Amino acid sequence: MDNITIARLLDETAALLEIDAADPFRIRSYRRAAEAVEQQTTQLATLTGPDADPKALLAIAGIGKGMAANIRDLVATGSMPLRDELLAKYKPTMLELLRLPGMGPKTVALIWTALAVGDIDALEEAAKAGHLSTLPRMGEKFTLKLLKGIEDYRKNSGRFRIDDAEEHALRISALIREFPGIDQITPAGSLRRGRETVGDLDLLVTGPACEPGVVSAAVEHVASLPLIDKLLAKGQNKVSFTLRNNLQVDVRLLPRASYGAALQYFTGSKMHNVALRQRAIKRGLTLSEYALLRLEDNVIVAAASEEEIYRALDLDYIAPELRENSGELEAAANHSLPNLITLADIRGDLHMHTNATDGRDTIRQMAEAALARGLSYIAITDHSKHLAMTNGLDDARALAHVQRIREVDAEMDGRIRVLPGIEVDILADGALDLEDSTLSQMDIVVASIHSRFDQPIEETTARVLRAIDNPHVRILGHPTGRMLLKRDAYAINMDVVLQRAAELGVAVEHNAAPARADLNDLHLRLAKQHGCKIVVDTDAHATEELDRMWFGITQLRRAWLSAGDVLNTLPFDQFMAELRPKP
DNA sequence: GCCGTTTTCGGCCCGACTGTTTTCAGTCG
């Protein structure tokens, strides 16, 4: 059983305990344990055997004696006594009900005991038949909202890619800004933390129009934006609505003086905030979205900026990407936070396409665009022949392409280096689809698998291992073959692949394209642990796609990586010297 | 169920909004 499954089962148990009205703190500890398990880079199943160190599980924050026993049971039997007990009492489909708007654990439990309704279809039926109105606090309005919620849930229960979410954030911000007296609109929540996907959009608005007394006019403005599909809630300083694509947007309008506290609060994550508030209480303080206050006399200690709030809690400033309650508070307390990589650290982009295959722009255009973005070297890595739909290059065309790339390199006159390369496809048996003699002419050979989702893990893993054994391969592209939102992150044994890549000196690619995002933060941490050479690149198919490097950087930051952990932060000569030597 | 410079018991984050309530419980973030 892998960590993701263990985490899911613990989280499920937490939800069932909630429906069972168990001790809220006990529920929280199950949630916390689930998150902790999910963030481990070592598979817990290897720590539960008879000869494993019994202390290993207990070393993880949030896992004590009881939870360690639960995890051992899960690994050994696939379940655990408490979970079995709860599942005998409730139906597993009830967990889905919790995801409907307005349906919390109390309501789910109530309709189960009162009406024996435990799944979405039955709930819809009961609502339409008017059975819900016999229950307390569930009138006509509640029923209508619920039916709409069920409809929406069926239509779209997914999350949104970070780049899409950002685009919506920009559009909405522009409309809000039309109201006079709005200074600043900042996306908070998981968008600011740089999660690959966001469930909803949090926009923080501040300015003279948001001060108490006058804020209601600005609230009205936001609540009547033309792009609103459904208005979900409107309060004194908060407006929630959904767009036509079902993305939920929460807008909060807050006074300038509490901007820092509000930004901190709405950025989250929830677990980070809980831990931060606990720390505040230990220091005789209390933290809310308005301010950090001294408990004894309610005097404001900090509120205007995030920096002063963290400082007042004896912490170094914690970047949003790290706020997941996975050790960042401890590191901030003892000044051991990493010096996170930034976009400005990146000097080269090693993966891009041109109009020779499925790209849009020419070699020269890509080079000029990269230069304009401050890069000092790039590799042109068009597709090889196996990918017929991309007009992939056969050996002859690939060699001719090398010539043209070298010519452009010369034309650029040293302002930027343009390296000949290829994104070569890994065939089913692990061979590459071009001749070694062709590959020997390339500076950068990126070996990628483009379809692997239907194969057993062992086969896919063996295929990749064989491919990187080819001495011409310098970068393993799309290492997990993962497509975001259709993700099957474990269709390959990444532990084995990364270890072998490290031994061979093959760099592993972190693809910045949000649709690809091959290595998630766990993989990246694992790659660092194994001593892999990590490169981040854009896989750009047009000049403007070079801009998406920021997204890759954000993911690297989430994995606590510094510039020194990433190969293409090095100047050109050092970078080339660090790559696997050409045979 | 976890945790400890309040350490093996007694704590455990904070506030807004909704619906249906005449004072609040439940949900949400």
Side-chain angles (χ1 to χ4, degrees), chain A residues 23-45:
Chain A
D23 173 18
F25 300 108
R26 191 177 176 208
I27 295 166
R28 182 187 299 167
S29 54
Y30 273 86
R31 288 247 150 78
R32 202 164 161 233
E35 297 209 350
V37 167
E38 209 176 285
Q39 286 169 349
Q40 297 306 307
T41 49
T42 41
Q43 290 298 323
L44 297 193

Side-chain angles (χ1 to χ4, degrees), chain A residues 7-22:
Chain A
R8 204 196 66 228
L9 294 175
L10 291 177
D11 202 56
E12 236 177 65
T13 306
L16 289 166
L17 280 170
E18 243 180 338
I19 293 171
D20 203 41

Side-chain angles (χ1 to χ4, degrees), chain A residues 89-146:
Chain A
K89 226 162 140 185
Y90 306 105
K91 287 172 68 178
T93 52
M94 292 165 68
L95 299 171
E96 210 178 2
L97 295 182
L98 291 170
R99 303 174 64 170
L100 298 172
M103 291 290 288
K106 295 286 194 318
T107 314
V108 170
L110 180 65
I111 61 164
W112 176 243
T113 50
L115 303 171
V117 165
D119 61 80
I120 290 196
D121 291 343
L123 178 64
E124 185 179 27
E125 216 172 290
K128 281 182 175 160
H131 292 159
L132 294 186
S133 48
T134 62
L135 300 174
R137 272 186 303 281
M138 283 183 234
E140 192 187 352
K141 225 167 164 179
F142 180 90
T143 306
L144 284 175
K145 203 169 111 181
L146 183 62

Side-chain angles (χ1 to χ4, degrees), chain A residues 340-360:
Chain A
L340 293 178
I341 188 170
T342 67
L343 185 57
D345 291 323
I346 298 298
R347 304 195 193 211
D349 190 336
L350 290 312
H351 186 163
M352 64 188 68
H353 299 268
T354 69
N355 58 3
T357 58
D358 62 345
R360 189 195 65 198

Side-chain angles (χ1 to χ4, degrees), chain A residues 46-56:
Chain A
T46 64
L47 304 178
T48 59
D51 41 318
D53 180 4
K55 293 254 194 300

